[in-house]
Amino acid sequence: MGNTTVRLDSHAAATLRYIRSSMEGAVVLAVPGSAGIVLGTIGLLAAALCFAPGLRKYWLGIWLGAALIGAVVGSILIVRESSLRDLRLAGTPLLKFALCLSPSLGAGLVMTAVHWFAGNLHAIPGTWRGDDGTSRSWPGAGPVTGDSGHWSVSRSM
């Protein structure tokens, strides 16, 4: 029979690695309530611009510009909130957030391109509205909960 004993220090090191990886996987990304307010305001401003008679034909560019501005401002607010709460963004939390957001963004991009090249510009807004639940169908996506002015996107992959 071979030697089946396990050294205590190697077992302890393996256990510590497991505990550290479990704790890292349980981290949530805090999205401040102020980000929701700012992004909602950007959306309302984009909608108001689209209703202006001289700007109606530029509605797609207005909404894409609002999406870009919203992504930049939202990212800044998330980074600011994380630094104020001394949370680490790099690694697992950011990766999980990106993986859960990617299906919606990818589907929206593909469906927008299909409607654009087919000349169905009137169908694009409805397509975007129907696409916002795609990320909730991603495997391992957990609930989105809000409390005390913060939204926590918890993912257990």
Side-chain angles (χ1 to χ4, degrees):
M1 290 242 165
N3 187 2
T4 59
T5 60
V6 177
R7 291 185 45 163
L8 185 58
D9 60 341
S10 65
H11 181 68
T15 303
L16 284 174
R17 277 193 303 274
Y18 172 76
I19 291 170
R20 285 186 184 132
S21 69
S22 296
M23 290 175 65
E24 183 179 295
V27 172
V28 296
L29 179 67
V31 180
S34 61
I37 293 169
V38 171
L39 296 179
T41 303
I42 291 170
L44 288 173
L45 290 173
L49 283 174
C50 288
F51 277 111
L55 298 176
R56 283 190 180 168
K57 61 184 175 182
Y58 302 112
W59 68 269
L60 185 59
I62 291 170
W63 278 110
L64 292 176
L68 182 62
I69 291 168
V72 170
V73 171
S75 297
I76 290 169
L77 289 173
I78 288 173
V79 168
R80 181 179 166 269
E81 178 71 17
S82 295
S83 67
L84 289 175
R85 296 177 73 193
D86 200 28
L87 297 175
R88 186 176 56 86
L89 274 180
T92 305
L94 195 58
L95 177 65
K96 288 180 179 180
F97 183 75
L99 286 174
C100 290
L101 187 61
S102 300
S104 288
L105 291 178
L109 177 68
V110 169
M111 292 188 294
T112 299
V114 166
H115 286 309
W116 176 268
F117 290 116
N120 297 329
L121 298 182
H122 64 282
I124 293 174
T127 301
W128 286 351
R129 183 63 197 127
D131 181 45
D132 69 353
T134 305
S135 64
R136 287 186 286 267
S137 66
W138 186 260
V144 177
T145 59
D147 59 9
S148 70
H150 293 86
W151 290 93
S152 295
V153 182
S154 75
R155 303 286 185 239
S156 55
M157 297 178 83

